[in-house]
Every structure is written in C-alpha cells, then in structure tokens.
C-alpha cells in the first residue's frame, strides 16, 4: 500500500518545539512599526496598553527560534500535528501530471489554523495576569479560536464580529458562545469608534478594520484587559510557522524534497506566513527554489493592487503604523463570502517578503474559488473553507498548466480550514447566484 | 513527551483490511430476517429488489473476516485511521481517577462514522450495475455520507430527510447538495407511502421509519435503483467494525490492554456495533471483560423500554421483519436534537447481543447529553455530535462514580461524529431552553 500513501500525520513528538522567526534570515530588515503620534519606531512600552510583554517581545524578536511554552504545547497536542495529504483523487479529476499535496488545518477545535496563535496569545496574557481579552473577527474563525483559547486559560473573551457574517453566518457565532465568549456585531453602538463608523458609513456591513477599532477601544479602557489580533502582526505570523515546519517533515515522509509551488490564501497574511516562511528559509539557504504564491481575493487585493507604505491596521487610526501593502484603511471590501480575507492591508512581514521578491501573489475571484473548492470537496472528501478555496483555485490553475506543458511539478496547498460552516456559500455557488467579485 | 501522549493516529497501513463479522463468534445464532408476506426466513432472492448481491451476501454471511475491496480501502484512506485520543483535559475537568479515551469519527468527509458504510454500499451497487441509490436520513449524517459515496462511484442519489431536521438544520442538507444529491423532506407528497403517512399523522415532523418507507418505494419502482440503509442491518454493522478494530490497536500503543467500560450511542445501532463488536469478541475469547454500554436517547429507548420481537424496520410495513428490540413501528419519538437516534428499533445483531447479556444499555435525556457534550467541547476542543454526546454522558457518569469509589477504570468512548453542524442545539442548551426529553 505504501506506493498509494494518501496522508501523513507524524507523531505528537514531531510537533515543533520552537516557532520560526523569519526576521533572523531576511536579507534586509523589515521596517519597524511606528508610533501613530510621534511617527517614531514603536518601543515596547508603547504597546503595553494593548499586549502582554511575552507577545511584545516576540513582535520585535530577532532570534531565529523561539521556544513554545510547555503549556502551549500541551494544548497543541489536542489536534496537532495536522495531516499532510496527497491529493490523488484531485490530481485524477484534473487530469494533471502534477503531484499535489495539501496541509489541512481544518481539524483544529474551531476548524481553522487560527487556534495556533489564539492558544499562545491567551497563555501569555494569563501569565501577565490579564483577566479578559477583546478581539475582532471576520468570518468567525479567529473569534472562535480565541473563545476556545481563553476558556482554556480561564480568561473572559469579548468578540466584535463583522456584521456581514454575524448576521449571515450564525454558526461560528454560536461556536464562540458555546466556548463562553460574548459576541457583538460590528460596527456596534456600544463603542465610540463603532458609533462614529456607523455615522460615517450608514448601513455598512462592517469590515475587519472597523471591528479592530472597537476591540482596541474596549481593551485600552480596562487595565485587566488586553487586545488580541488574529493576523497581521509579527507574533501572529510567528505562531503559525508550526504549519510549514510540519509540512516540511511530512513531505520528506512522502519522499519529496520541497515543492515547486506553494499556494496559500492571504487576507491578513498569517496563514500564508505560517505555511510559507519555513519554505522561504529553504530558498534563502539555497536548499530549494519554491515558488510561493499568495492567493488573495479579488475583492481585497492588497498585494496585487495596493501600495507599499505605512498605514493603520484599523479603520479609525488607533493602531500603530505598519509598513505594508494596503488599499488604504478606509477601504471596505465587497461582502464576499471569504470573510477572513476581507482586510485592507497585508502583514508587514508578508509585505516585506513580497516587496523583496521572496513571495509572489495572484488575485482570485470568488466564483473561481468556489468552483475549485467544490471540485476539491468531491474529490478529497473535505469541504474547504471559502478562504482556503482561493488557494485551491491557484493550485488548480497551476496543475492545469502542468498538464498542458507535460511537466510534473510538486504543488503544495495550504488548506487553512474547513468549510462545513460555509455551506450556504457553496450552495449559493451551486445555484449560480454568486456575485463574481 | 511520551508520558503525556494525547492521541494516536496509526499509519494508513494499519487500516483494517477485513471487516469483522460477529455472527461467526456468537454463542447462539441470531434469528433470521423474515419475509413480511410468508413469515419464512428471507432468501437472498427476496432481497434483490432492494440490494445488490454483494451486500445481500454480507447480510447473511457467517465467515468471521470479510475482505474490504481495494476500491473501498482507497477511499477509506482519505480519512482513516481515525484518531484515538486520551481525554486528559476531560479527566482533569471531572476530577476523576479514571483514564478516559475516545475514538473520534468526526474527521470523515461528512463529520461522522456513516461514510464507513456508505462507501462500500455505493461500491457494491456500482459493481452490480446500478445507476441510482435512494435512502432516508435523520439528522443528515447518513444522507450526506451516501451523497459523498455515490458521487465517488458515479451514481445518482435521492435522499428523503426527516422533515424535522430538513427544516431545522439546513447545513447537512446543503452538504448533501454540494455532493450532488437530491434531497426531499419526509413524509413527502411525492410517494404513496409519504401521502399516506401525512394523512395518518397530520403535521408530523417525520421519523426515520417514515423516510425509509418512502426511499424503499422509490427504489422498487426503478430497476436501475437500489435502496441503501444507513444502520440497523447486519451488513451496515459489519462495515462499521473497522472502528473497533482500529481502537484495539490504538489502545495498545497507549500501553492499555482493553478498556473496563465502553460507551457508545445507539440509535439504529451501527455505531455501537462498529466500535463494540471487536471488544465483544475479546470478551467471548476470554481475553477481556469489557463492560459495553449502549447509550440510547430517553426519547427512543428501544433497548431499555422496548420488546424483543419481530417488527418492521419502517413505518409502513414494507421492510423484511427483523427480530429486534422495538418500541413498535408506529412509535414517533419526540423531536429531540439527536435526529440520528430517533428510531423505533435496534439493529438485530445489537439486539441479540443485548438479549444474550453481551451488551448493556442506559437511556440518557438530552439535557444531560448536552451538558456532557459542552463540557467535552471546552475540555477537548471538539464539539461532539448531539448523538455522540449521549455516549459522553454515560462515560461522565462512570468517571464520577470512579472518583467516588477511588477506582481507576479505563473508559473508552465512541465519539461518532462532530457537532459543528449541531451548534444551534448547543446554543439552545446554553440558553436553558432545551426540552428535557
């Protein structure tokens, strides 16, 4: 049977013991975050109103490997290592000569990669004596992940969810509530930022940037509270690097060296960073030549259409200034189904890598994404998240190209989560009713 | 880390190559199915209008091990082996001295154990030249499993879904539709059986027995169609035995021999049969003394409250007569959330084992089930299916007893599926609005 091997789990003892910090290997240093008032590089003290010291240190860390605390490793073991699959049936369905693999993060407690960062974030806040975390969520994956992680460490959790998904996709809100979190649709009337945004954009369906403003406002008003961000920042990208580290080991079990192509969806950027940074390292070491492709939604194409400049992470100019590809912090994406990708900017570390040519990018419209996601579901028996379907679409393009060219590249897809809670969107696609944004 | 081992996957090469047929080991033979007209034991020919010969042979098989066809093994490899977890955090939450393990079937293509039988059923029908399968579904797990399996083998699929869940829990219906199945709420007005049932029980929310009648009617009218049943029959129980076979191997990796207690939910009985029959064998061989406990819903307590006699499997007297514990085929359970357990009877093989004292049973009300399921979700990071929560409730009772007694039993739970699509029910429980049936 081994010649038909379909997936590799690894043993729990193969879960990485350290996160990988790409800053240590970058040929040029990324630009520092700036204080929004002074425009000077942010000092650790500037961040203490929002984050605990453990995370502030990681945000500015320069060492290559950062140890994962045992308390975090214990929780990771509930679902990690995540499996790496060979997509044999997808290959056959596409008639491709490519060998396609996918790393699947959908078996986490909330069905996505987000718990990889939620757990350490809750842990460092617990160590710092915090009692409560506030956050934003788009499709609900991050909010659910933080809801799970906070109850693990005995913290309260307040989530502002983009109104579009709060109303249209109630299941992830229910999941947050099962884990004991309090959830408010954003923009709300319970914060000054929310009231101002509702006035400025009457009837808005919300955005991640708006929800971030509300969550930050709540956190700075309460000394026992911190804010937690599910993507974008360096420490979030850092936590996600366990994905790529596991994938490297698992490809070796399949007898593969490194992939020729790596496709991953990119909204705020943490999923892309997590699976790709260990492969960027292989490229920088001269061990490989992996072509890494960020798959962003055509509705929020920060890398392919944005500018590389300092901008705010939120819509109300409350965050530090981040050097990133951005569509401008007033940009409100169309209400596409991939709520987790509806963000105006891109993680500074991902932006830096893109600017330096270490990572490429494509934009994918949602009908192409759902077509690929449906094909994947039927072939592989896994309904992928709306977000992940963008990465699958990129891989499908490449696999078809390989069939035309008669080449046999190795393609790795980062499937960041499960689409079981995105089923209404798949049904809308099947019915032909989907906006092609 | 090995002393903290949390889960065991096994390798794909450890997926069982044979199904286990308990009939070969039973001290007394189970009663045969009877022809509803002649009251004589059913001959293979009597079943050809409904089933392909491959399954008819398995229904009456007496050999101990039945080889799993390579085409089926190939599909099993998409998600099997399923993991066995040590529930360390649940143990801590309960303050128990018991060691608790759970076998989790929720990572299948549809989030439950049902695909274990749907795939071989679709395969044997394909081999027999059938073009279409008809079936019933309660909560939707079986319908979704057959929808997945039929498209794998290029067959059409018509599903009658109990109206209660068709309307109240649309996500699994959407999943069936993503896999290309046609879904009709039952009782419908499109079959004679459905029309008669709607007349007899005006405004009924439906039941599995009713939906079975409709699916059978459709199948017998079309020579290219077969009927497929998701539980109850011998061949379905047979297919599910890969669960228990894997669990036996995985417990050994944890350094355990066999469990002292095994809890599994029981509606039609296939999940219970699948995880428990390999352990019944260990008991019969004198290798173990596992106390096996079927956890049925108080709303449909066929084992604990029913009679052991011949009865029809459906509501309209269309199936063969099956010797089983039954509440009578006119029984319509309260509309509890665990739709997969709302059945008037119990698999003949499970009923026989219960009657012979090889298996025990308890009835669990749904509030106790959801309390246990919520505790499990927060501790283990897996929201269990409503059905599976009944088994968790049984295990929680035993674990608390162990804490009182100061004993350290090994408890194995069969967690048959994921509750991600049952989230509204968990929210209803959390809000205190749940009927305690």
């Amino acid at each position: 049977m081994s010649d038909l091997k379909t997936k590799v789990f690894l043993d729990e003892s193969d879960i990485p013991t350290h996160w990988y910090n790409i800053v240590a290997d970058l040929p040029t240093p990324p630009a520092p975050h700036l204080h929004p008032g002074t425009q000077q590089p942010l000092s650790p003290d500037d961040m203490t109103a929002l984050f605990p010291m453990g995370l502030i240190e990681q945000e500015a860390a320069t060492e290559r490997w950062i140890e994962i605390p045992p308390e975090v490793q214990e929780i990771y073991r509930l679902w990690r290592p995540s499996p790496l699959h060979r997509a044999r049936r997808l290959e056959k369905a596409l008639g491709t000569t490519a060998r396609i693999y996918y790393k699947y993060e959908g078996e986490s407690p909330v069905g996505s990669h987000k718990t990889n960062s939620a757990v350490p974030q809750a842990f460092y806040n617990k160590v710092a004596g915090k009692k409560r975390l506030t956050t934003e969520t788009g499709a609900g994956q991050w909010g659910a992940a933080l809801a799970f992680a906070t109850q693990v460490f005995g913290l309260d959790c307040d989530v502002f969810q983009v109104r579009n998904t709060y109303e249209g996709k109630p299941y992830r809100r229910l999941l947050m509530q099962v884990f004991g979190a309090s959830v408010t649709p954003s923009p709300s009337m319970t914060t000054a930022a929310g009231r101002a945004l509702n006035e400025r954009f009457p009837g808005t369906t919300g955005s991640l940037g708006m929800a971030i403003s509300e969550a930050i406002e709540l956190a700075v008003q309460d000394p026992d509270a911190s804010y937690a961000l599910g993507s974008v920042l360096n420490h979030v990208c850092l936590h996600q690097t366990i994905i790529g580290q596991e994938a490297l080991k698992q490809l070796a079990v399949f007898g593969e060296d490194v992939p020729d192509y790596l496709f991953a969806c990119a909204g705020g950027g943490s999923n892309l960073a997590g699976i790709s940074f260990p492969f960027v390292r292989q490229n920088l070491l001269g061990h490989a030549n992996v072509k890494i492709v960020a798959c962003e939604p055509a509705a929020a194409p920060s890398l392919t259409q944005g500018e590389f400049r300092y901008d705010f992470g939120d819509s109300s100019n409350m965050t530090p200034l981040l050097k990133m590809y951005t569509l401008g912090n007033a940009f409100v994406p169309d209400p596409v189904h991939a709520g987790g990708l509806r963000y105006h900017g891109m993680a500074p570390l991902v932006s830096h890598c893109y600017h330096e040519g270490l990572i490429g990018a494509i934009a994918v419209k949602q009908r192409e994404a759902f077509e690929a996601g449906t094909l994947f579901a039927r072939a592989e028996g896994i309904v992928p998240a709306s977000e992940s379907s963008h990465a699958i679409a990129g891989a499908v393009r490449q696999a078809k190209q390989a069939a035309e060219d008669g080449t046999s590249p190795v393609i790795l897809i980062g499937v960041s989560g499960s689409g079981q809670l995105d089923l209404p969107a798949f049904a809308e696609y099947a019915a032909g009713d989907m906006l092609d944004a």
Side-chain angles (χ1 to χ4, degrees), chain A:
Chain A
M1 291 292 174
S2 67
D3 59 329
L4 286 176
K5 187 177 273 300
T6 300
K7 62 188 175 315
V8 165
F9 283 108
L10 296 178
D11 189 76
E12 290 181 346
S13 60
D14 289 307
I15 298 174
T17 56
H18 292 72
W19 292 301
Y20 167 59
N21 181 11
I22 195 171
V23 173
D25 287 319
L26 288 173
T28 56
H33 308 334
L34 300 184
H35 189 285
T38 66
Q39 311 267 322
Q40 292 301 304
L42 215 58
S43 74
D45 281 356
D46 292 333
M47 302 176 78
T48 51
L50 287 183
F51 299 113
M53 195 47 71
L55 297 176
I56 292 172
E57 285 169 2
Q58 291 179 358
E59 190 63 20
T62 54
E63 66 266 40
R64 182 170 293 112
W65 300 105
I66 295 176
E67 190 171 5
I68 304 174
E71 296 87 343
V72 173
Q73 292 192 44
E74 181 193 332
I75 306 304
Y76 279 170
R77 275 198 296 275
L78 291 176
W79 73 94
R80 303 206 72 84
S82 70
L84 183 78
H85 297 251
R86 169 87 182 265
R88 294 184 185 278
R89 288 177 40 80
L90 179 65
E91 293 169 15
K92 201 181 291 180
L94 289 169
T96 183
T97 41
R99 298 198 294 286
I100 305 177
Y101 296 86
Y102 62 97
K103 177 73 169 165
Y104 184 50
E105 293 292 310
E107 290 166 8
S108 88
V110 302
S112 83
H113 69 294
K114 293 290 188 182
T115 36
N116 297 332
S117 186
V119 172
Q121 289 196 45
F123 169 74
Y124 288 112
N125 275 289
K126 174 73 174 180
V127 168
K130 297 291 178 176
K131 308 285 187 216
R132 179 161 80 124
L133 291 184
T134 72
T135 197
E136 79 295 333
T137 197
Q141 287 106 330
W142 169 247
L146 198 68
F148 168 71
T150 46
Q151 63 88 26
V152 163
F153 293 107
L155 306 174
D156 292 335
C157 187
D158 286 288
V159 182
F160 289 90
Q161 182 171 22
V162 174
R163 187 176 295 278
N164 179 48
T165 43
Y166 180 94
E167 291 173 352
K169 299 183 175 172
Y171 276 54
R172 287 212 181 89
R173 164 170 57 80
L174 297 175
L175 183 55
M176 293 183 245
Q177 289 164 341
V178 165
F179 288 135
S182 163
V183 191
T184 306
S186 169
S188 75
M189 297 303 281
T190 62
T191 68
R195 287 188 294 271
L197 287 162
N198 272 313
E199 194 166 315
R200 187 167 154 207
F201 304 101
T204 179
T205 52
S207 72
L208 279 172
M210 293 182 188
I212 292 171
S213 299
E214 294 202 88
I216 289 180
E217 180 181 324
L218 209 64
V220 296
Q221 289 170 351
D222 177 0
D224 284 337
S226 283
Y227 167 67
L229 188 65
S231 188
V232 180
L233 293 178
N234 300 0
H235 66 270
V236 187
C237 294
L238 175 79
H239 299 154
Q240 296 293 353
T241 58
I242 51 177
I243 304 173
Q245 291 184 65
E246 288 180 4
L248 256 171
K249 279 195 196 183
Q250 288 164 318
L251 280 169
V253 178
F254 272 109
E256 302 284 5
D257 192 10
V258 284
D260 297 297
Y261 297 93
L262 192 173
F263 294 89
C265 65
S270 76
N271 168 63
L272 175 84
I275 191 164
S276 74
F277 283 180
F279 291 96
V280 173
R281 178 165 196 254
Q282 296 301 309
N283 285 350
L284 289 170
L285 290 170
H287 295 172
N289 187 19
V290 186
K291 187 165 178 198
I292 296 161
V293 183
C295 299
E296 53 182 18
S302 54
L303 288 176
T304 57
Q305 302 282 330
E307 293 175 18
F308 189 45
R309 63 172 170 85
Y310 275 103
D311 195 6
F312 292 96
D314 70 324
S315 303
S316 306
N317 304 2
M318 295 172 75
T319 69
L321 286 162
L322 308 173
K323 182 80 177 284
M324 62 181 177
Y325 282 86
T326 177
L327 298 158
N329 75 333
F331 181 82
V332 179
D334 281 341
V336 291
H337 285 286
L341 305 182
R342 295 178 70 225
Y343 186 62
H344 67 274
M346 181 58 66
L349 285 176
V350 172
S351 293
H352 180 84
C353 287
Y354 181 71
H355 191 254
E356 298 290 310
L358 304 175
I359 284 175
I362 59 173
V364 177
K365 288 188 179 181
Q366 69 174 351
R367 275 199 214 154
E368 182 184 353
F370 278 91
E371 181 184 3
T374 301
L375 179 73
F376 185 91
R378 293 183 177 191
E380 296 296 317
I382 288 175
V383 180
S386 309
E387 292 81 6
S388 317
S389 296
H390 289 72
I392 296 167
V396 165
R397 284 188 199 176
Q398 198 68 50
K400 287 180 174 169
Q401 187 64 48
E404 280 181 31
D405 300 346
T407 56
S408 303
V410 174
I411 297 174
L412 173 61
I413 314 173
V415 178
S416 55
S418 162
Q420 292 272 323
L421 302 190
D422 294 328
L423 283 166
F426 278 89
E428 185 181 308
Y429 167 74
D433 295 337
M434 182 173 278
L435 177 75
D436 198 23

